């Protein structure tokens, strides 16, 4: 089963969140460090899961998020 999850990367005083696409315990695609706003990334992951977005669309959706997409 494919599932979109959030991931976190923490440096000294800052945490940034991203999205990973997992198949079981295997990461198939990743877009780390998209935002420091955890709520936005959680909403994005939830939307991707609810819509059952196919992996072939992952990069396009991330690009939209980074340019003009609002959750």
């Amino acid at each position: 089963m494919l599932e979109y999850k959030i991931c976190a990367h923490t440096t000294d005083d800052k945490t940034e969140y991203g999205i990973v696409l997992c198949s079981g315990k295997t990461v198939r695609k990743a877009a780390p460090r998209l935002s420091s706003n955890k709520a936005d990334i959680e909403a994005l992951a939830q939307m991707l899961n609810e819509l059952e977005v196919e992996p072939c669309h992952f990069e396009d959706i991330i690009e939209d998020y980074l340019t003009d997409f609002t959750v």
Side-chain angles (χ1 to χ4, degrees), residues 5-49:
K5 299 179 181 182
I6 68 166
C7 60
H9 181 80
T10 303
T11 55
D12 295 330
D13 61 343
K14 186 176 181 183
T15 301
E16 295 178 298
Y17 301 93
I19 301 266
V20 291
L21 173 59
C22 298
S23 176
K25 293 184 179 184
T26 304
V27 173
R28 295 191 51 196
K29 295 187 180 221
R33 299 179 177 184
L34 296 174
S35 174
S36 58
N37 187 328
K38 184 178 181 181
D40 280 355
I41 300 303
E42 286 175 334
L44 179 59
Q46 180 180 356
M47 182 192 72
L48 292 169
N49 285 318

Side-chain angles (χ1 to χ4, degrees), residues 42-57:
E42 286 175 334
L44 179 59
Q46 180 180 356
M47 182 192 72
L48 292 169
N49 285 318
E50 287 175 359
L51 296 175
E52 298 180 357
V53 172
E54 293 293 324
C56 62
H57 301 294

Side-chain angles (χ1 to χ4, degrees), residues 4 19 29-34 41 44 47-48 53 55-71:
Y4 293 92
I19 301 266
K29 295 187 180 221
R33 299 179 177 184
L34 296 174
I41 300 303
L44 179 59
M47 182 192 72
L48 292 169
V53 172
C56 62
H57 301 294
F58 181 74
E59 287 86 4
D60 293 330
I61 290 171
I62 297 303
E63 181 180 339
D64 289 346
Y65 173 80
L66 293 173
T67 55
D68 61 2
F69 181 79
T70 31
V71 177

